[in-house]
Amino acid sequence: MEVFRVKSIEQSIQDTEEPEHRLRKDLSAIDLTVFGIGVIVGTGIFVLTGRVARDLAGPAVALSFVAAGIVCALAALCYAEFASTVPVAGSAYTFAFATLGEFPAWIIGWDLMLEMMLGAAVVAVGWSGYLTSLLESLGIVLPDAIAGEGATFNLPAALVVLALTAILVAGIKLSSRFNLIIVTIKIAVVLLVIVAGLFFVNAANYTPFIPPAKPTPAVEGLAAPLIQVLFGITPVAFGVLGIFSAAAIVFFAYIGFDVVATAAEETRNPRRDLPIGIIASLVICTILYVAVSLVVVGMQPYSQLSESAPLADAFKAVGQTWAATLISIGALAGLTTVVMILMLGMSRVMFAMSRDNLLPRGLSRVHPRFGTPYRITILMGVVVAILAGLVPLSTIAELVNIGTLFAFVIVSIAVVILRRTRPDLPRSFRTPLVPLVPILSVLSCLYLMLNLPVETWLRFVVWMIIGIVVYATYGHRHSRVSRRPLDSR
């Protein structure tokens, strides 16, 4: 069937050499690692820690970060092999096209668009919240109509998106340098939280480390984890089940290492540098997450943690307002790079889809001076700015999570398929213990997906149905791969 026709690895690599669609190769292993840290260290530390500890896991939220990190590590090993073997923009979309075919590739590309577009918009709203709080501490109060959860249009969120869009258009090297500066600031703040917070830890706050399971409003109705509904379990928070429900939420904190793979085409030595960037950024961030979560729940009883600014408020609770101000600055820095790199990843996925004619091909035109896909970047920047201005910061993190986990499942399956269909390909990095590691990756991702709320699954299904309609009415009819010989233009 045409819709399951694969695009060869050789054709994908050949497409990267077309003059009007060629991206500049300016990134090193250090750049990729910093990109990964830049997008991973952000919402998870500065926002989600308080919510999941208070509502789902208690002090055991550190175990939730470990569980989510293990799932990501299994997927990262699969991503590292694929990204180094197929160094082409598009990440999971390109990998799926090379193994499963055009229609599965479209589905995963559509899924990644949802993940990164909503993720960038939501984080931009969080950035606006921290900026508003910081300005208020300086005596500057922004009108409610243009800032905050109830704003008619969240102007700071929209403006930061547009500013970052301009940086992304101006070139990948400039983006990486800007990212390095901001990442340095926020890592310094995170280390400050860990070191300074240790002096205010109260051991009594760790007891009980795993609070007993109990029903709560946070898991009622459509907010109940799907797995508990499927097996007829009364939805509960805390306990062992609460740890895994929290892991499915804090998984949002880890989205980003897969974005490193979308920059494959702009890497000088992708076969060596991509595995380093993917794995190193994930390991560093997991250590930071576990350390910060342990410190925060030790400083303040988990039931009293703030949802919007848990780190800053924990220091305020122990009378250290100076630290709270520095943390707000670090949060602004952290969320800035998350927005930028999610937008970078989204533009590269859409660039790859456009180059295959699944989206209008003119969108994949590269700027003659900056070497970036400027049309797609500007278009997506405007869309994300509008969403950030209008969408409140609430329950979209779970929808981003299910999209990411679905992408991980596809990539893990694709590694096994490519090992069988193309054993001849040179692989500078090989996922260990194939097929065991990919199978464990698939099972663990599916388990976390089942721990997400029922309402998240319903939204995900609706988005996928819309994607199928778009593919049937446009993508399949215009596809360059399905309708012409692979070496045609």
Side-chain angles (χ1 to χ4, degrees):
M1 294 177 63
E2 280 190 346
V3 297
F4 290 102
R5 185 181 181 188
V6 301
K7 181 180 180 182
S8 71
I9 305 297
E10 290 77 8
Q11 181 63 42
S12 293
I13 294 175
Q14 183 180 337
D15 285 349
T16 68
E17 298 303 320
E18 295 177 350
E20 63 182 27
H21 303 290
R22 183 186 300 155
L23 300 174
R24 289 184 182 171
K25 299 182 182 297
D26 284 331
L27 299 179
S28 65
I30 294 176
D31 292 326
L32 293 173
T33 302
V34 175
F35 265 134
I37 295 172
V39 72
I40 298 173
V41 176
T43 308
I45 281 184
F46 294 112
V47 179
L48 289 180
T49 308
R51 174 188 165 192
V52 294
R54 187 191 62 193
D55 295 341
L56 294 172
V61 65
L63 298 181
S64 300
F65 277 113
V66 171
I70 291 172
V71 173
C72 287
L74 293 170
L77 293 172
C78 299
Y79 262 90
E81 175 171 329
F82 242 123
S84 60
T85 306
V86 191
V88 178
S91 186
Y93 161 78
T94 301
F95 307 157
F97 215 152
T99 52
L100 302 175
E102 180 181 283
F103 178 63
W106 166 268
I107 289 296
I108 201 65
W110 185 254
D111 167 67
L112 289 171
M113 286 168 54
L114 172 75
E115 168 199 334
M116 297 177 190
M117 179 173 61
L118 291 182
V122 169
V123 176
V125 177
W127 183 95
S128 174
Y130 268 101
L131 176 67
T132 302
S133 175
L134 184 61
L135 291 177
E136 286 179 355
S137 68
L138 299 175
I140 303 172
V141 180
L142 296 179
D144 293 338
I146 65 168
E149 277 284 296
T152 304
F153 186 84
N154 197 322
L155 187 60
L159 290 178
V160 72
V161 169
L162 294 176
L164 293 174
T165 299
I167 292 174
L168 290 172
V169 169
I172 190 69
K173 194 61 183 178
L174 174 62
S175 301
S176 68
R177 288 172 179 167
F178 174 78
N179 184 59
L180 175 61
I181 295 170
I182 300 298
V183 166
T184 301
I185 294 171
K186 69 177 177 181
I187 292 300
V189 171
V190 169
L191 293 176
L192 169 70
V193 169
I194 296 171
V195 175
L198 287 174
F199 292 97
F200 302 99
V201 166
N202 182 354
N205 291 333
Y206 292 122
T207 305
F209 189 70
I210 303 178
K214 63 180 180 181
T216 70
V219 291
E220 289 180 352
L222 292 178
L226 180 63
I227 192 170
Q228 297 185 29
V229 174
L230 289 177
F231 289 96
I233 302 171
T234 300
V236 295
F238 306 110
V240 174
L241 290 177
I243 292 173
F244 287 102
S245 296
I249 306 300
V250 300
F251 186 83
F252 182 86
Y254 286 98
I255 67 167
F257 81 81
D258 59 322
V259 175
V260 174
T262 68
E265 205 169 312
E266 294 158 277
T267 304
R268 296 191 197 109
N269 186 0
R271 300 188 186 282
R272 178 182 68 89
D273 296 344
L274 280 165
I276 294 173
I278 290 171
I279 296 172
S281 59
L282 182 61
V283 170
I284 291 170
C285 292
T286 300
I287 294 171
L288 291 176
Y289 277 158
V290 172
V292 168
S293 61
L294 285 173
V295 167
V296 170
V297 296
M299 291 177 65
Q300 191 175 17
Y302 71 88
S303 59
Q304 299 175 20
L305 287 173
S306 161
E307 179 174 349
S308 58
L311 302 193
D313 289 349
F315 276 92
K316 286 180 182 177
V318 294
Q320 304 300 310
T321 54
W322 64 271
T325 301
L326 285 178
I327 289 169
S328 294
I329 294 172
L332 280 174
L335 299 180
T336 299
T337 55
V338 174
V339 175
M340 185 182 77
I341 300 170
L342 284 174
M343 291 173 60
L344 169 72
M346 177 175 57
S347 66
R348 276 19 176 206
V349 171
M350 293 187 66
F351 168 78
M353 296 173 74
S354 173
R355 193 163 57 186
D356 291 329
N357 280 13
L358 295 179
L359 294 172
R361 188 167 172 80
L363 292 175
S364 61
R365 185 69 60 88
V366 171
H367 195 283
R369 177 183 174 188
F370 300 128
T372 56
Y374 67 105
R375 293 180 177 178
I376 279 181
T377 302
I378 293 172
L379 174 63
M380 285 298 95
V382 171
V383 172
V384 173
I386 293 171
L387 286 173
L390 299 175
V391 176
L393 176 62
S394 51
T395 60
I396 299 182
E398 291 90 339
L399 191 56
V400 177
N401 287 1
I402 197 170
T404 307
L405 287 163
F406 181 65
F408 288 3
V409 169
I410 297 298
V411 170
S412 300
I413 293 172
V415 163
V416 178
I417 293 175
L418 196 65
R419 283 282 188 99
R420 293 182 177 276
T421 58
R422 294 297 306 272
D424 58 302
L425 284 174
R427 292 171 169 84
S428 58
F429 180 90
R430 298 176 68 89
T431 304
L433 301 175
V434 172
L436 178 60
V437 167
I439 289 173
L440 290 175
S441 176
V442 169
L443 293 177
S444 58
C445 287
L446 289 174
Y447 180 71
L448 281 192
M449 290 173 75
L450 290 173
N451 276 278
L452 288 167
V454 174
E455 59 187 354
T456 300
W457 279 88
L458 295 176
R459 292 171 182 152
F460 182 65
V461 170
V462 170
W463 177 256
M464 286 296 130
I465 291 173
I466 294 172
I468 292 171
V469 172
V470 174
Y471 173 75
T473 56
Y474 183 89
H476 176 58
R477 297 178 58 177
H478 294 82
S479 170
R480 164 182 168 204
V481 173
S482 287
R483 296 177 65 82
R484 305 184 192 129
L486 286 179
D487 58 354
S488 68
R489 291 290 176 269

